[in-house]
Amino acid sequence: MTESSDSQVKKDAKHFDERAASYGRDPNDLLNAIPNEVEQSYRDDLREVLGEFTEYKSVLEVGAGTGLFTRLLDVWGCKGIVGIDISGRMLDVARAKLPHCSFRQVTKEAEPHLFPPATFDLIISRQLVCHLIDPIAVFECWKTWLKPGGRIAVIDGLWTRKDWRGRSGALVDERPLSCTQTKATVSYLLERSDLVVKHRGYLERVNRFAKERFDIGQPREPIYRYVVVASAEIGP
Ligand SMILES: C[S@@+](CC[C@H](N)C(=O)[O-])C[C@H]1O[C@@H](n2cnc3c(N)ncnc32)[C@H](O)[C@@H]1O
């Protein structure tokens, strides 16, 4: 019998609780950190596909972690930011950093009634979907929580099996998006969740930065990051 999703989530939460104090703190750890020099690149790459951040008045970040990316959403002008995460300790760090944002710990991967329908005009995640056990169940929740005309933005990377070495070796064979070498899989799963994909592309500036850093001494190939944007409606 395969392990239940709730018990896997519990183990993941423990894993991230243990990493909370150090997560993303080393600016040379380009797998997790967002160094200051790349912040503008994230902004420019994402503004191209999401428009002005000040237009988003109710924003959900899923897998907000220690608030590395939440802080950027806040600085860029997003309002009404709510971050959810399975790791209480990761969120403790985020809360200390961003006391005016709202953070909530969750214990299940997909809880349709966590928020009322049509609550958010942007649902965004960075480096979250690679951890998901049942991405379709999660994306279906997101669809319910999205306001009419709202956007979903999934940011993740082309991870390899080697990137998961520190975790259980079997993990990648349980997680559909853990190490795909294409942005097509997320797009396909969003469409299977009855969402409409509006854009799928690479974060060109962010990836250029990672490549340049790699050239000056990173011990591995850079992670190429992509963003897939979806909405619940057909049309622009
Ligand atoms: C790689 S970290 C990324 C954190 C943050 N998004 C960032 O960009 O720095 C992944 C985060 O997702 C959280 N996470 C993993 N599975 C989750 C799930 N099913 N629902 C919500 N959060 C989850 C972890 O606890 C962790 O904080």
Short mmCIF file of all heavy atoms in Angstrom, two decimals, residues 160-188:
data_model
loop_
_atom_site.label_atom_id
_atom_site.label_comp_id
_atom_site.label_asym_id
_atom_site.label_seq_id
_atom_site.Cartn_x
_atom_site.Cartn_y
_atom_site.Cartn_z
N THR A 160 16.49 18.01 -11.57
CA THR A 160 16.89 16.65 -11.96
C THR A 160 16.78 15.73 -10.75
O THR A 160 16.62 16.20 -9.61
CB THR A 160 18.36 16.63 -12.44
OG1 THR A 160 19.19 16.94 -11.30
CG2 THR A 160 18.61 17.64 -13.54
N ARG A 161 16.90 14.43 -10.98
CA ARG A 161 16.84 13.48 -9.85
C ARG A 161 17.92 13.80 -8.82
O ARG A 161 17.71 13.69 -7.63
CB ARG A 161 17.05 12.04 -10.36
CG ARG A 161 15.92 11.51 -11.21
CD ARG A 161 16.18 10.05 -11.57
NE ARG A 161 15.76 9.14 -10.52
CZ ARG A 161 14.54 8.62 -10.44
NH1 ARG A 161 13.62 8.90 -11.34
NH2 ARG A 161 14.23 7.80 -9.46
N LYS A 162 19.09 14.24 -9.34
CA LYS A 162 20.21 14.53 -8.44
C LYS A 162 19.86 15.63 -7.44
O LYS A 162 20.38 15.66 -6.33
CB LYS A 162 21.43 14.97 -9.25
CG LYS A 162 22.24 13.84 -9.79
CD LYS A 162 23.54 14.40 -10.33
CE LYS A 162 24.33 13.33 -11.06
NZ LYS A 162 25.33 13.92 -11.94
N ASP A 163 19.02 16.57 -7.86
CA ASP A 163 18.67 17.69 -6.98
C ASP A 163 17.94 17.22 -5.72
O ASP A 163 17.81 17.96 -4.76
CB ASP A 163 17.80 18.71 -7.72
CG ASP A 163 18.57 19.36 -8.85
OD1 ASP A 163 19.76 19.67 -8.64
OD2 ASP A 163 18.01 19.53 -9.94
N TRP A 164 17.40 16.01 -5.76
CA TRP A 164 16.62 15.49 -4.63
C TRP A 164 17.44 14.54 -3.76
O TRP A 164 16.88 13.87 -2.89
CB TRP A 164 15.37 14.76 -5.16
CG TRP A 164 14.40 15.70 -5.79
CD1 TRP A 164 14.45 16.18 -7.05
CD2 TRP A 164 13.24 16.28 -5.18
NE1 TRP A 164 13.39 17.04 -7.28
CE2 TRP A 164 12.63 17.11 -6.15
CE3 TRP A 164 12.66 16.18 -3.92
CZ2 TRP A 164 11.46 17.84 -5.89
CZ3 TRP A 164 11.50 16.90 -3.66
CH2 TRP A 164 10.92 17.72 -4.64
N ARG A 165 18.76 14.53 -4.00
CA ARG A 165 19.62 13.59 -3.30
C ARG A 165 19.48 13.64 -1.79
O ARG A 165 19.56 12.64 -1.12
CB ARG A 165 21.08 13.84 -3.65
CG ARG A 165 21.61 12.90 -4.69
CD ARG A 165 23.05 13.18 -4.90
NE ARG A 165 23.28 14.63 -4.95
CZ ARG A 165 24.10 15.23 -5.79
NH1 ARG A 165 24.79 14.52 -6.64
NH2 ARG A 165 24.26 16.53 -5.77
N GLY A 166 19.28 14.84 -1.24
CA GLY A 166 19.22 14.99 0.22
C GLY A 166 17.97 14.39 0.84
O GLY A 166 17.89 14.22 2.04
N ARG A 167 16.96 14.10 0.01
CA ARG A 167 15.69 13.56 0.52
C ARG A 167 15.65 12.05 0.25
O ARG A 167 16.58 11.48 -0.30
CB ARG A 167 14.51 14.22 -0.20
CG ARG A 167 14.55 15.72 -0.21
CD ARG A 167 14.07 16.33 1.09
NE ARG A 167 12.69 15.99 1.42
CZ ARG A 167 11.63 16.65 0.98
NH1 ARG A 167 11.79 17.68 0.21
NH2 ARG A 167 10.41 16.28 1.34
N SER A 168 14.54 11.43 0.61
CA SER A 168 14.39 10.01 0.33
C SER A 168 14.53 9.76 -1.18
O SER A 168 13.93 10.47 -1.98
CB SER A 168 13.00 9.57 0.79
OG SER A 168 12.54 8.53 -0.01
N GLY A 169 15.33 8.79 -1.54
CA GLY A 169 15.58 8.51 -2.95
C GLY A 169 14.31 8.23 -3.74
O GLY A 169 14.22 8.52 -4.93
N ALA A 170 13.30 7.66 -3.05
CA ALA A 170 12.08 7.25 -3.74
C ALA A 170 11.15 8.44 -4.00
O ALA A 170 10.20 8.33 -4.77
CB ALA A 170 11.34 6.22 -2.91
N LEU A 171 11.44 9.56 -3.38
CA LEU A 171 10.51 10.69 -3.43
C LEU A 171 10.16 11.12 -4.86
O LEU A 171 9.00 11.36 -5.17
CB LEU A 171 11.13 11.87 -2.67
CG LEU A 171 10.16 12.89 -2.12
CD1 LEU A 171 9.23 12.26 -1.10
CD2 LEU A 171 10.93 14.02 -1.49
N VAL A 172 11.17 11.19 -5.71
CA VAL A 172 10.90 11.67 -7.07
C VAL A 172 9.94 10.76 -7.82
O VAL A 172 9.26 11.21 -8.74
CB VAL A 172 12.19 11.86 -7.90
CG1 VAL A 172 13.04 12.97 -7.37
CG2 VAL A 172 12.96 10.57 -8.01
N ASP A 173 9.88 9.49 -7.43
CA ASP A 173 8.96 8.60 -8.12
C ASP A 173 7.54 8.68 -7.58
O ASP A 173 6.63 8.03 -8.08
CB ASP A 173 9.49 7.16 -8.05
CG ASP A 173 10.77 7.03 -8.86
OD1 ASP A 173 10.79 7.52 -10.01
OD2 ASP A 173 11.76 6.49 -8.35
N GLU A 174 7.36 9.51 -6.55
CA GLU A 174 6.02 9.74 -5.98
C GLU A 174 5.46 11.10 -6.39
O GLU A 174 4.29 11.36 -6.21
CB GLU A 174 6.10 9.74 -4.43
CG GLU A 174 6.77 8.54 -3.82
CD GLU A 174 5.85 7.34 -3.79
OE1 GLU A 174 4.63 7.53 -3.94
OE2 GLU A 174 6.37 6.20 -3.65
N ARG A 175 6.35 12.00 -6.87
CA ARG A 175 5.93 13.39 -7.10
C ARG A 175 5.99 13.71 -8.59
O ARG A 175 7.08 13.82 -9.18
CB ARG A 175 6.87 14.36 -6.34
CG ARG A 175 7.08 13.99 -4.87
CD ARG A 175 5.83 14.21 -4.06
NE ARG A 175 5.93 13.59 -2.75
CZ ARG A 175 6.14 14.25 -1.62
NH1 ARG A 175 6.27 15.54 -1.64
NH2 ARG A 175 6.18 13.61 -0.48
N PRO A 176 4.81 13.88 -9.22
CA PRO A 176 4.78 14.00 -10.69
C PRO A 176 5.58 15.16 -11.25
O PRO A 176 6.03 15.10 -12.39
CB PRO A 176 3.28 14.21 -10.97
CG PRO A 176 2.56 13.82 -9.74
CD PRO A 176 3.50 13.91 -8.59
N LEU A 177 5.76 16.24 -10.48
CA LEU A 177 6.45 17.42 -11.03
C LEU A 177 7.83 17.62 -10.42
O LEU A 177 8.42 18.69 -10.55
CB LEU A 177 5.58 18.67 -10.81
CG LEU A 177 4.26 18.68 -11.59
CD1 LEU A 177 3.34 19.79 -11.11
CD2 LEU A 177 4.52 18.83 -13.09
N SER A 178 8.35 16.58 -9.77
CA SER A 178 9.60 16.76 -9.02
C SER A 178 10.80 16.99 -9.93
O SER A 178 11.70 17.75 -9.57
CB SER A 178 9.87 15.57 -8.12
OG SER A 178 9.90 14.39 -8.89
N CYS A 179 10.85 16.33 -11.07
CA CYS A 179 12.02 16.53 -11.93
C CYS A 179 11.68 16.36 -13.40
O CYS A 179 12.32 15.59 -14.10
CB CYS A 179 13.20 15.66 -11.49
SG CYS A 179 12.85 13.92 -11.32
N THR A 180 10.71 17.11 -13.84
CA THR A 180 10.39 17.10 -15.26
C THR A 180 11.39 18.02 -15.96
O THR A 180 11.85 19.00 -15.38
CB THR A 180 8.97 17.61 -15.54
OG1 THR A 180 8.88 18.94 -15.06
CG2 THR A 180 7.93 16.74 -14.88
N GLN A 181 11.71 17.72 -17.19
CA GLN A 181 12.65 18.55 -17.95
C GLN A 181 11.90 19.41 -18.97
O GLN A 181 12.42 19.71 -20.05
CB GLN A 181 13.70 17.67 -18.63
CG GLN A 181 14.66 17.03 -17.64
CD GLN A 181 15.42 18.08 -16.85
OE1 GLN A 181 16.12 18.90 -17.42
NE2 GLN A 181 15.26 18.08 -15.52
N THR A 182 10.68 19.77 -18.64
CA THR A 182 9.87 20.58 -19.54
C THR A 182 8.78 21.32 -18.76
O THR A 182 8.30 20.82 -17.75
CB THR A 182 9.19 19.69 -20.60
OG1 THR A 182 8.18 20.45 -21.27
CG2 THR A 182 8.53 18.45 -20.00
N LYS A 183 8.42 22.51 -19.26
CA LYS A 183 7.32 23.26 -18.64
C LYS A 183 5.97 22.73 -19.13
O LYS A 183 4.92 23.17 -18.67
CB LYS A 183 7.45 24.75 -18.92
CG LYS A 183 7.60 25.11 -20.41
CD LYS A 183 7.94 26.57 -20.57
CE LYS A 183 8.66 26.92 -21.85
NZ LYS A 183 8.03 26.60 -23.13
N ALA A 184 6.01 21.78 -20.06
CA ALA A 184 4.75 21.26 -20.63
C ALA A 184 3.94 20.47 -19.60
O ALA A 184 2.71 20.47 -19.65
CB ALA A 184 5.06 20.38 -21.83
N THR A 185 4.62 19.81 -18.67
CA THR A 185 3.88 18.93 -17.75
C THR A 185 2.97 19.73 -16.83
O THR A 185 1.81 19.38 -16.62
CB THR A 185 4.86 18.06 -16.93
OG1 THR A 185 5.88 17.59 -17.79
CG2 THR A 185 4.16 16.89 -16.29
N VAL A 186 3.50 20.84 -16.29
CA VAL A 186 2.65 21.69 -15.43
C VAL A 186 1.49 22.23 -16.24
O VAL A 186 0.34 22.22 -15.78
CB VAL A 186 3.46 22.89 -14.85
CG1 VAL A 186 2.54 23.85 -14.12
CG2 VAL A 186 4.53 22.42 -13.92
N SER A 187 1.78 22.68 -17.47
CA SER A 187 0.73 23.25 -18.32
C SER A 187 -0.37 22.21 -18.56
O SER A 187 -1.56 22.51 -18.45
CB SER A 187 1.31 23.67 -19.67
OG SER A 187 2.43 24.48 -19.49
N TYR A 188 0.07 20.99 -18.85
CA TYR A 188 -0.89 19.91 -19.12
C TYR A 188 -1.76 19.64 -17.89
O TYR A 188 -2.98 19.52 -17.98
CB TYR A 188 -0.10 18.66 -19.52
CG TYR A 188 -0.93 17.42 -19.65
CD1 TYR A 188 -1.77 17.25 -20.75
CD2 TYR A 188 -0.90 16.42 -18.67
CE1 TYR A 188 -2.55 16.10 -20.87
CE2 TYR A 188 -1.67 15.28 -18.79
CZ TYR A 188 -2.50 15.13 -19.88
OH TYR A 188 -3.28 14.00 -19.99
#
